[in-house]
Amino acid sequence: MKDVLDRQELAVDMNPVISKMFNTEHEQVVFCQDKASGLKAIIAIHNTTLGPALGGTRMWNYNNEVEALNDVLRLSRGMTFKASISGLNLGGGKAVIIGDTYTQKSEALFRRFGKFVESLSGKYITAEDVGISPKDMEWVNMETKHVSGLPKTLGGSGDPSPVTAYGVYMGMKATAKKQFGSDSLGCKKVVVQGVGHVGETLVKHLSNEGALVTIADINQERVARIAKEFGTQVVEGDAIYDVDMDIYAPCALGATLNDNTIERLKCSVVAGAANNQLQDEIVHGRRLMEKGILYAPDFLINAGGLINVYREVVGISEARAMELTENIYQTTGDIFTKSDASGVTPQEAAMVIAQNRIEAIAKIKSVL
Ligand code: NAD
Protein backbone atom coordinates (compact mmCIF):
# COMPACT_ATOMS: atom_id res chain seq x y z
CA MET A 1 0.00 0.00 0.00
CA LYS A 2 1.36 3.41 -0.92
CA ASP A 3 0.64 6.93 0.24
CA VAL A 4 0.88 8.70 -3.10
CA LEU A 5 -0.21 7.76 -6.60
CA ASP A 6 2.31 7.50 -9.37
CA ARG A 7 2.06 9.66 -12.50
CA GLN A 8 0.40 6.96 -14.59
CA GLU A 9 -2.29 6.19 -12.01
CA LEU A 10 -3.13 9.85 -11.72
CA ALA A 11 -3.47 10.23 -15.46
CA VAL A 12 -5.46 7.10 -16.06
CA ASP A 13 -7.65 6.65 -13.00
CA MET A 14 -8.18 9.98 -11.33
CA ASN A 15 -8.75 12.32 -14.23
CA PRO A 16 -12.38 11.43 -14.99
CA VAL A 17 -13.20 11.47 -11.28
CA ILE A 18 -11.69 14.86 -10.56
CA SER A 19 -13.04 16.47 -13.70
CA LYS A 20 -16.50 15.08 -12.95
CA MET A 21 -16.60 17.02 -9.73
CA PHE A 22 -15.26 20.24 -11.21
CA ASN A 23 -17.78 20.00 -14.06
CA THR A 24 -20.65 20.19 -11.58
CA GLU A 25 -21.60 22.96 -9.18
CA HIS A 26 -20.95 20.98 -6.04
CA GLU A 27 -19.40 22.84 -3.15
CA GLN A 28 -17.53 19.94 -1.63
CA VAL A 29 -16.99 16.25 -2.22
CA VAL A 30 -15.39 14.20 0.53
CA PHE A 31 -13.83 10.81 -0.15
CA CYS A 32 -13.76 8.74 3.03
CA GLN A 33 -11.64 5.65 3.56
CA ASP A 34 -10.86 3.42 6.53
CA LYS A 35 -8.95 0.26 5.72
CA ALA A 36 -9.49 -1.33 9.14
CA SER A 37 -13.29 -1.35 8.90
CA GLY A 38 -13.42 -1.55 5.10
CA LEU A 39 -15.22 1.78 4.82
CA LYS A 40 -15.22 3.43 1.41
CA ALA A 41 -17.64 6.32 1.18
CA ILE A 42 -18.26 9.57 -0.65
CA ILE A 43 -20.11 12.54 0.83
CA ALA A 44 -21.27 15.15 -1.69
CA ILE A 45 -22.40 18.60 -0.64
CA HIS A 46 -24.11 20.28 -3.56
CA ASN A 47 -25.30 23.60 -2.18
CA THR A 48 -25.63 25.08 1.31
CA THR A 49 -27.07 28.51 0.45
CA LEU A 50 -30.37 27.75 2.16
CA GLY A 51 -28.98 25.77 5.08
CA PRO A 52 -27.06 22.64 6.00
CA ALA A 53 -26.96 19.98 3.28
CA LEU A 54 -29.36 17.21 4.30
CA GLY A 55 -29.64 13.92 2.48
CA GLY A 56 -29.53 10.24 3.23
CA THR A 57 -26.68 7.78 3.07
CA ARG A 58 -27.05 4.99 0.53
CA MET A 59 -25.14 1.70 0.78
CA TRP A 60 -24.81 -0.04 -2.55
CA ASN A 61 -22.45 -2.50 -4.19
CA TYR A 62 -21.41 -0.17 -7.02
CA ASN A 63 -19.40 -1.70 -9.86
CA ASN A 64 -16.72 0.94 -9.40
CA GLU A 65 -15.95 4.26 -7.71
CA VAL A 66 -16.93 6.38 -10.71
CA GLU A 67 -20.41 4.86 -10.69
CA ALA A 68 -20.67 5.68 -6.97
CA LEU A 69 -19.45 9.22 -7.55
CA ASN A 70 -21.96 9.75 -10.34
CA ASP A 71 -24.77 8.57 -8.10
CA VAL A 72 -23.83 10.77 -5.16
CA LEU A 73 -23.35 13.87 -7.34
CA ARG A 74 -26.73 13.34 -9.02
CA LEU A 75 -28.59 12.56 -5.81
CA SER A 76 -27.14 15.47 -3.82
CA ARG A 77 -28.11 17.92 -6.57
CA GLY A 78 -31.65 16.54 -6.46
CA MET A 79 -31.77 17.21 -2.70
CA THR A 80 -30.93 20.88 -3.28
CA PHE A 81 -33.91 21.25 -5.63
CA LYS A 82 -36.19 19.26 -3.35
CA ALA A 83 -35.45 21.40 -0.29
CA SER A 84 -35.67 24.64 -2.22
CA ILE A 85 -38.98 23.98 -3.99
CA SER A 86 -40.47 22.87 -0.66
CA GLY A 87 -39.53 26.17 0.97
CA LEU A 88 -37.19 24.51 3.49
CA ASN A 89 -34.04 26.12 4.82
CA LEU A 90 -31.88 23.19 3.86
CA GLY A 91 -29.20 22.59 1.29
CA GLY A 92 -28.61 19.48 -0.76
CA GLY A 93 -26.25 16.67 0.14
CA LYS A 94 -26.01 12.91 -0.02
CA ALA A 95 -23.57 10.16 0.90
CA VAL A 96 -22.84 6.75 -0.55
CA ILE A 97 -21.07 3.85 1.11
CA ILE A 98 -19.57 1.47 -1.42
CA GLY A 99 -20.11 -2.11 -0.29
CA ASP A 100 -22.24 -5.18 0.00
CA THR A 101 -25.06 -4.68 2.49
CA TYR A 102 -25.12 -8.42 3.29
CA THR A 103 -21.45 -8.96 4.03
CA GLN A 104 -19.77 -5.63 4.71
CA LYS A 105 -21.85 -3.96 7.40
CA SER A 106 -20.33 -3.63 10.88
CA GLU A 107 -20.49 -1.35 13.90
CA ALA A 108 -16.93 -0.20 13.21
CA LEU A 109 -17.72 0.75 9.61
CA PHE A 110 -20.74 2.86 10.50
CA ARG A 111 -19.06 4.51 13.50
CA ARG A 112 -16.08 5.40 11.33
CA PHE A 113 -18.50 6.86 8.77
CA GLY A 114 -20.11 8.82 11.62
CA LYS A 115 -16.72 10.34 12.44
CA PHE A 116 -16.40 11.58 8.85
CA VAL A 117 -19.87 13.14 9.05
CA GLU A 118 -18.90 14.76 12.36
CA SER A 119 -15.73 16.17 10.79
CA LEU A 120 -17.97 18.34 8.55
CA SER A 121 -19.29 20.13 11.68
CA GLY A 122 -22.95 20.06 10.69
CA LYS A 123 -22.50 21.25 7.12
CA TYR A 124 -23.85 17.82 6.12
CA ILE A 125 -26.69 16.09 8.00
CA THR A 126 -27.22 12.44 7.18
CA ALA A 127 -30.23 10.10 7.28
CA GLU A 128 -31.26 6.64 6.12
CA ASP A 129 -31.46 5.79 2.44
CA VAL A 130 -31.44 2.62 0.34
CA GLY A 131 -29.45 -0.18 1.99
CA ILE A 132 -29.28 1.46 5.43
CA SER A 133 -31.27 0.30 8.46
CA PRO A 134 -32.21 2.15 11.68
CA LYS A 135 -29.59 0.02 13.48
CA ASP A 136 -26.85 1.26 11.10
CA MET A 137 -27.87 4.87 11.72
CA GLU A 138 -27.84 4.25 15.46
CA TRP A 139 -24.13 3.39 15.10
CA VAL A 140 -23.48 6.49 12.98
CA ASN A 141 -25.26 8.53 15.66
CA MET A 142 -22.78 7.28 18.30
CA GLU A 143 -20.09 9.39 16.60
CA THR A 144 -22.08 12.39 15.35
CA LYS A 145 -25.21 14.25 16.30
CA HIS A 146 -25.70 15.26 12.66
CA VAL A 147 -28.12 12.42 11.97
CA SER A 148 -31.82 12.87 11.20
CA GLY A 149 -34.82 10.58 10.69
CA LEU A 150 -33.91 8.27 13.57
CA PRO A 151 -36.64 6.03 15.03
CA LYS A 152 -39.02 7.76 17.44
CA THR A 153 -37.70 5.55 20.26
CA LEU A 154 -34.31 7.23 19.78
CA GLY A 155 -35.78 10.72 19.77
CA GLY A 156 -36.06 11.07 16.01
CA SER A 157 -39.03 11.72 13.72
CA GLY A 158 -39.35 8.08 12.68
CA ASP A 159 -39.94 6.47 9.28
CA PRO A 160 -40.47 9.26 6.71
CA SER A 161 -42.11 6.95 4.15
CA PRO A 162 -45.78 7.45 5.18
CA VAL A 163 -45.30 11.23 4.92
CA THR A 164 -43.61 10.81 1.54
CA ALA A 165 -46.57 8.71 0.37
CA TYR A 166 -49.04 11.36 1.55
CA GLY A 167 -47.15 14.06 -0.38
CA VAL A 168 -47.13 11.91 -3.53
CA TYR A 169 -50.87 11.38 -3.10
CA MET A 170 -51.38 15.16 -2.81
CA GLY A 171 -49.22 15.78 -5.89
CA MET A 172 -51.10 13.10 -7.83
CA LYS A 173 -54.45 14.67 -6.97
CA ALA A 174 -53.25 18.12 -8.10
CA THR A 175 -52.01 16.60 -11.36
CA ALA A 176 -55.33 14.82 -11.89
CA LYS A 177 -57.14 18.11 -11.33
CA LYS A 178 -55.14 19.80 -14.05
CA GLN A 179 -55.38 16.89 -16.50
CA PHE A 180 -58.90 15.57 -15.88
CA GLY A 181 -60.62 18.66 -14.43
CA SER A 182 -61.19 17.03 -11.03
CA ASP A 183 -58.83 15.90 -8.30
CA SER A 184 -60.94 12.87 -7.50
CA LEU A 185 -59.03 9.64 -8.04
CA GLY A 186 -62.16 7.50 -7.62
CA CYS A 187 -62.42 5.03 -10.52
CA LYS A 188 -59.11 6.26 -11.99
CA LYS A 189 -56.88 3.42 -13.18
CA VAL A 190 -53.61 3.84 -11.29
CA VAL A 191 -50.58 1.57 -11.69
CA VAL A 192 -48.12 1.65 -8.77
CA GLN A 193 -44.69 0.28 -9.65
CA GLY A 194 -42.94 -0.77 -6.43
CA VAL A 195 -44.98 -1.39 -3.31
CA GLY A 196 -42.27 -0.89 -0.72
CA HIS A 197 -42.36 1.56 2.19
CA VAL A 198 -43.84 4.41 0.14
CA GLY A 199 -45.75 2.45 -2.51
CA GLU A 200 -47.75 0.41 0.00
CA THR A 201 -49.04 3.51 1.84
CA LEU A 202 -49.83 5.16 -1.49
CA VAL A 203 -51.89 2.11 -2.46
CA LYS A 204 -53.77 2.49 0.82
CA HIS A 205 -54.66 6.15 0.10
CA LEU A 206 -55.68 5.30 -3.46
CA SER A 207 -57.80 2.32 -2.44
CA ASN A 208 -59.53 4.39 0.25
CA GLU A 209 -60.53 6.84 -2.47
CA GLY A 210 -61.87 4.13 -4.75
CA ALA A 211 -59.13 4.20 -7.39
CA LEU A 212 -58.74 1.07 -9.53
CA VAL A 213 -55.23 0.11 -8.51
CA THR A 214 -52.81 -2.26 -10.22
CA ILE A 215 -49.47 -3.04 -8.57
CA ALA A 216 -46.11 -4.41 -9.65
CA ASP A 217 -43.08 -5.42 -7.58
CA ILE A 218 -40.21 -7.83 -7.99
CA ASN A 219 -40.87 -9.04 -4.45
CA GLN A 220 -43.61 -11.61 -5.04
CA GLU A 221 -44.41 -11.99 -1.37
CA ARG A 222 -45.16 -8.29 -0.98
CA VAL A 223 -47.24 -8.25 -4.17
CA ALA A 224 -49.35 -11.17 -2.99
CA ARG A 225 -49.91 -9.68 0.48
CA ILE A 226 -50.77 -6.18 -0.72
CA ALA A 227 -52.95 -7.37 -3.62
CA LYS A 228 -54.95 -9.44 -1.16
CA GLU A 229 -55.22 -6.70 1.46
CA PHE A 230 -56.36 -3.95 -0.93
CA GLY A 231 -57.97 -6.05 -3.66
CA THR A 232 -55.67 -4.70 -6.39
CA GLN A 233 -54.79 -6.16 -9.78
CA VAL A 234 -51.22 -7.31 -10.40
CA VAL A 235 -48.99 -6.81 -13.43
CA GLU A 236 -45.63 -8.48 -13.89
CA GLY A 237 -42.29 -7.15 -15.04
CA ASP A 238 -41.95 -5.08 -18.17
CA ALA A 239 -45.63 -5.50 -19.10
CA ILE A 240 -46.36 -2.59 -16.77
CA TYR A 241 -45.54 -0.12 -19.56
CA ASP A 242 -48.24 -1.58 -21.82
CA VAL A 243 -51.11 -1.51 -19.33
CA ASP A 244 -54.05 0.72 -20.19
CA MET A 245 -54.04 3.20 -17.31
CA ASP A 246 -54.87 6.82 -16.39
CA ILE A 247 -51.97 7.31 -13.98
CA TYR A 248 -48.53 5.72 -13.77
CA ALA A 249 -46.92 5.98 -10.33
CA PRO A 250 -43.22 4.98 -10.35
CA CYS A 251 -42.34 4.12 -6.74
CA ALA A 252 -39.39 1.77 -7.23
CA LEU A 253 -36.46 2.86 -9.35
CA GLY A 254 -35.23 5.95 -11.14
CA ALA A 255 -34.95 6.41 -14.93
CA THR A 256 -38.11 4.45 -15.78
CA LEU A 257 -39.14 7.30 -18.09
CA ASN A 258 -36.84 6.79 -21.05
CA ASP A 259 -36.76 6.35 -24.85
CA ASN A 260 -38.17 2.85 -24.61
CA THR A 261 -40.92 3.27 -22.00
CA ILE A 262 -42.39 6.66 -22.92
CA GLU A 263 -43.39 5.43 -26.37
CA ARG A 264 -45.23 2.52 -24.79
CA LEU A 265 -46.95 4.32 -21.90
CA LYS A 266 -50.74 4.53 -22.21
CA CYS A 267 -51.48 7.03 -19.46
CA SER A 268 -52.32 10.72 -19.10
CA VAL A 269 -50.48 11.39 -15.84
CA VAL A 270 -47.18 10.33 -14.28
CA ALA A 271 -46.91 10.97 -10.53
CA GLY A 272 -44.79 8.84 -8.23
CA ALA A 273 -42.24 8.69 -5.45
CA ALA A 274 -39.08 7.45 -7.15
CA ASN A 275 -36.17 9.87 -7.41
CA ASN A 276 -34.87 10.86 -10.87
CA GLN A 277 -37.72 9.26 -12.83
CA LEU A 278 -36.73 11.02 -16.07
CA GLN A 279 -33.64 9.37 -17.49
CA ASP A 280 -32.79 12.72 -19.06
CA GLU A 281 -34.68 15.50 -17.31
CA ILE A 282 -34.86 17.73 -20.40
CA VAL A 283 -35.23 15.23 -23.27
CA HIS A 284 -37.71 12.90 -21.58
CA GLY A 285 -39.62 15.71 -19.84
CA ARG A 286 -40.25 17.22 -23.29
CA ARG A 287 -41.16 13.88 -24.84
CA LEU A 288 -43.85 13.34 -22.20
CA MET A 289 -45.20 16.83 -22.88
CA GLU A 290 -45.33 16.14 -26.63
CA LYS A 291 -47.30 12.97 -25.93
CA GLY A 292 -49.79 14.92 -23.77
CA ILE A 293 -48.74 13.11 -20.60
CA LEU A 294 -48.70 15.44 -17.59
CA TYR A 295 -45.66 14.81 -15.41
CA ALA A 296 -45.57 15.79 -11.73
CA PRO A 297 -41.91 16.66 -10.93
CA ASP A 298 -40.59 13.90 -8.67
CA PHE A 299 -38.45 16.10 -6.43
CA LEU A 300 -41.50 18.22 -5.68
CA ILE A 301 -44.11 15.57 -4.92
CA ASN A 302 -41.81 13.14 -3.06
CA ALA A 303 -40.57 15.80 -0.61
CA GLY A 304 -42.83 14.73 2.28
CA GLY A 305 -40.11 12.59 3.85
CA LEU A 306 -37.62 15.44 3.76
CA ILE A 307 -40.22 17.79 5.25
CA ASN A 308 -40.80 15.29 8.05
CA VAL A 309 -37.07 15.06 8.80
CA TYR A 310 -36.79 18.86 8.61
CA ARG A 311 -38.89 19.17 11.73
CA GLU A 312 -35.98 17.66 13.68
CA VAL A 313 -33.63 20.29 12.32
CA VAL A 314 -35.79 23.35 13.01
CA GLY A 315 -38.03 22.00 15.76
CA ILE A 316 -41.43 22.37 14.05
CA SER A 317 -44.34 20.15 15.10
CA GLU A 318 -45.53 16.99 13.39
CA ALA A 319 -48.78 18.81 12.52
CA ARG A 320 -46.85 21.62 10.80
CA ALA A 321 -44.83 19.06 8.80
CA MET A 322 -48.09 17.49 7.62
CA GLU A 323 -49.41 20.95 6.66
CA LEU A 324 -46.28 21.60 4.61
CA THR A 325 -46.67 18.19 2.98
CA GLU A 326 -50.30 18.91 2.17
CA ASN A 327 -49.09 22.11 0.55
CA ILE A 328 -47.51 19.95 -2.20
CA TYR A 329 -51.01 19.97 -3.73
CA GLN A 330 -50.92 23.77 -4.13
CA THR A 331 -47.29 23.94 -5.27
CA THR A 332 -47.89 21.26 -7.91
CA GLY A 333 -50.81 23.25 -9.31
CA ASP A 334 -48.67 26.42 -9.33
CA ILE A 335 -45.92 24.62 -11.26
CA PHE A 336 -48.40 23.59 -13.97
CA THR A 337 -49.60 27.18 -14.25
CA LYS A 338 -46.00 28.39 -14.66
CA SER A 339 -45.25 25.60 -17.12
CA ASP A 340 -48.28 26.61 -19.25
CA ALA A 341 -47.37 30.29 -19.11
CA SER A 342 -43.74 29.82 -20.09
CA GLY A 343 -44.11 26.85 -22.45
CA VAL A 344 -41.52 24.76 -20.59
CA THR A 345 -42.09 21.35 -19.04
CA PRO A 346 -43.27 21.08 -15.42
CA GLN A 347 -39.83 19.68 -14.53
CA GLU A 348 -38.07 22.68 -16.04
CA ALA A 349 -40.54 25.10 -14.43
CA ALA A 350 -39.96 23.50 -11.02
CA MET A 351 -36.18 23.63 -11.45
CA VAL A 352 -36.29 27.32 -12.35
CA ILE A 353 -38.39 28.13 -9.27
CA ALA A 354 -36.04 26.13 -7.03
CA GLN A 355 -32.97 27.83 -8.53
CA ASN A 356 -34.53 31.30 -8.31
CA ARG A 357 -35.22 30.85 -4.60
CA ILE A 358 -31.61 29.85 -3.97
CA GLU A 359 -30.29 32.84 -5.93
CA ALA A 360 -32.65 35.26 -4.15
CA ILE A 361 -31.65 34.01 -0.69
CA ALA A 362 -27.97 34.09 -1.65
CA LYS A 363 -28.36 37.81 -2.45
CA ILE A 364 -30.03 38.53 0.89
CA LYS A 365 -27.32 36.63 2.73
CA SER A 366 -24.58 38.58 0.97
CA VAL A 367 -25.91 41.87 2.43
CA LEU A 368 -26.58 40.61 5.96
P1 NAD B 1 -38.38 0.46 -0.80
O1 NAD B 1 -37.06 -0.14 -1.03
O2 NAD B 1 -39.08 0.25 0.50
O3 NAD B 1 -39.41 -0.01 -1.94
C1 NAD B 1 -39.07 -0.14 -3.28
C2 NAD B 1 -39.86 -1.32 -3.82
O4 NAD B 1 -39.63 -1.40 -5.22
C3 NAD B 1 -39.43 -2.66 -3.22
O5 NAD B 1 -40.57 -3.36 -2.75
C4 NAD B 1 -38.75 -3.39 -4.39
O6 NAD B 1 -38.91 -4.77 -4.34
C5 NAD B 1 -39.46 -2.76 -5.57
N1 NAD B 1 -38.73 -2.84 -6.83
C6 NAD B 1 -37.40 -2.76 -7.05
N2 NAD B 1 -37.13 -2.91 -8.35
C7 NAD B 1 -38.33 -3.05 -8.97
C8 NAD B 1 -38.72 -3.22 -10.33
N3 NAD B 1 -37.83 -3.30 -11.32
N4 NAD B 1 -40.06 -3.34 -10.60
C9 NAD B 1 -40.96 -3.29 -9.62
N5 NAD B 1 -40.65 -3.14 -8.33
C10 NAD B 1 -39.36 -3.01 -8.01
O7 NAD B 1 -38.22 2.03 -1.11
P2 NAD B 1 -39.19 3.20 -0.67
O8 NAD B 1 -38.67 3.80 0.59
O9 NAD B 1 -40.59 2.74 -0.75
O10 NAD B 1 -38.89 4.26 -1.82
C11 NAD B 1 -39.43 4.08 -3.12
C12 NAD B 1 -38.83 5.10 -4.06
O11 NAD B 1 -39.13 6.41 -3.60
C13 NAD B 1 -37.31 5.04 -4.16
O12 NAD B 1 -36.93 5.38 -5.47
C14 NAD B 1 -36.84 6.13 -3.20
O13 NAD B 1 -35.59 6.65 -3.57
C15 NAD B 1 -37.95 7.16 -3.38
N6 NAD B 1 -38.13 8.01 -2.21
C16 NAD B 1 -38.43 7.47 -1.00
C17 NAD B 1 -38.63 8.30 0.10
C18 NAD B 1 -38.97 7.73 1.46
O14 NAD B 1 -39.39 8.50 2.35
N7 NAD B 1 -38.85 6.43 1.67
C19 NAD B 1 -38.53 9.69 -0.04
C20 NAD B 1 -38.26 10.22 -1.31
C21 NAD B 1 -38.06 9.37 -2.39
Side-chain angles (χ1 to χ4, degrees):
M1 198 55 57
K2 50 195 167 186
D3 291 328
V4 289
L5 298 170
D6 61 39
R7 191 180 286 268
Q8 204 180 1
E9 279 171 316
L10 275 171
V12 175
D13 292 327
M14 296 304 287
N15 262 351
V17 177
I18 293 171
S19 58
K20 233 178 216 322
M21 191 212 145
F22 287 117
N23 281 340
T24 69
E25 300 197 337
H26 287 74
E27 289 177 11
Q28 195 176 359
V29 178
V30 185
F31 292 83
C32 316
Q33 174 166 254
D34 179 56
K35 292 281 179 195
S37 62
L39 174 74
K40 254 182 165 183
I42 311 173
I43 301 171
I45 296 174
H46 178 255
N47 191 296
T48 55
T49 305
L50 300 175
L54 195 151
T57 296
R58 176 169 291 195
M59 185 163 183
W60 195 256
N61 213 354
Y62 293 99
N63 288 318
N64 54 56
E65 290 78 3
V66 176
E67 203 179 287
L69 180 67
N70 237 336
D71 209 26
V72 78
L73 292 177
R74 194 177 51 93
L75 291 166
S76 53
R77 174 177 175 271
M79 292 308 293
T80 298
F81 288 125
K82 192 181 299 202
S84 177
I85 197 92
S86 308
L88 310 181
N89 289 324
L90 289 176
K94 202 89 183 179
V96 294
I97 296 176
I98 303 167
D100 186 331
T101 52
Y102 292 103
T103 58
Q104 283 175 263
K105 284 188 174 185
S106 69
E107 177 181 354
L109 180 140
F110 286 107
R111 291 185 69 163
R112 187 68 188 91
F113 176 69
K115 278 186 178 294
F116 279 110
V117 173
E118 181 63 18
S119 73
L120 293 165
S121 310
K123 195 173 172 188
Y124 169 65
I125 303 171
T126 195
E128 260 181 58
D129 197 75
V130 177
I132 300 289
S133 71
K135 178 78 204 155
D136 305 332
M137 271 298 142
E138 212 180 317
W139 281 326
V140 174
N141 193 212
M142 287 176 186
E143 303 298 337
T144 179
K145 61 180 184 303
H146 304 299
V147 176
S148 59
L150 286 168
K152 287 186 174 167
T153 47
L154 294 172
S157 56
D159 181 8
S161 309
V163 190
T164 301
Y166 185 61
V168 171
Y169 177 56
M170 288 293 108
M172 189 184 285
K173 283 177 82 65
T175 314
K177 185 165 173 53
K178 166 78 178 151
Q179 190 73 325
F180 307 123
S182 159
D183 69 7
S184 169
L185 299 174
C187 293
K188 287 280 176 279
K189 288 175 272 177
V190 187
V191 177
V192 180
Q193 181 183 38
V195 281
H197 289 94
V198 179
E200 180 174 357
T201 310
L202 180 63
V203 168
K204 191 169 117 196
H205 289 304
L206 293 169
S207 299
N208 287 344
E209 204 183 325
L212 308 171
V213 183
T214 299
I215 61 170
D217 199 296
I218 49 171
N219 182 330
Q220 296 309 319
E221 240 177 76
R222 287 192 74 86
V223 167
R225 179 179 61 74
I226 293 165
K228 189 167 168 219
E229 188 175 342
F230 298 102
T232 71
Q233 300 284 313
V234 173
V235 59
E236 283 185 15
D238 204 41
I240 191 168
Y241 302 110
D242 303 314
V243 174
D244 178 27
M245 55 183 143
D246 297 306
I247 301 172
Y248 166 50
C251 296
L253 309 168
T256 60
L257 298 167
N258 53 50
D259 288 345
N260 167 33
T261 59
I262 293 176
E263 299 318 313
R264 291 163 61 189
L265 277 178
K266 295 183 192 73
C267 65
S268 309
V269 162
V270 176
N275 285 312
N276 304 311
Q277 292 165 27
L278 298 163
Q279 190 174 60
D280 181 306
E281 60 196 4
I282 304 299
V283 173
H284 297 118
R286 290 187 184 163
R287 189 65 199 118
L288 285 173
M289 200 173 177
E290 282 159 14
K291 278 200 73 181
I293 299 174
L294 191 58
Y295 173 71
D298 49 11
F299 66 86
L300 163 64
I301 72 165
N302 73 12
L306 180 66
I307 294 169
N308 195 54
V309 160
Y310 179 63
R311 68 191 173 89
E312 287 178 34
V313 181
V314 291
I316 57 170
S317 67
E318 196 168 348
R320 177 68 185 137
M322 285 313 281
E323 251 174 48
L324 289 171
T325 303
E326 199 153 328
N327 209 26
I328 288 175
Y329 180 96
Q330 181 65 39
T331 315
T332 307
D334 293 346
I335 296 293
F336 294 140
T337 306
K338 293 218 161 55
S339 155
D340 280 350
S342 52
V344 299
T345 66
Q347 178 82 0
E348 290 168 276
M351 283 166 64
V352 168
I353 292 170
Q355 257 156 349
N356 286 349
R357 177 170 176 243
I358 293 168
E359 280 163 27
I361 302 303
K363 278 187 196 144
I364 295 174
K365 286 194 170 173
S366 69
V367 294
L368 288 179

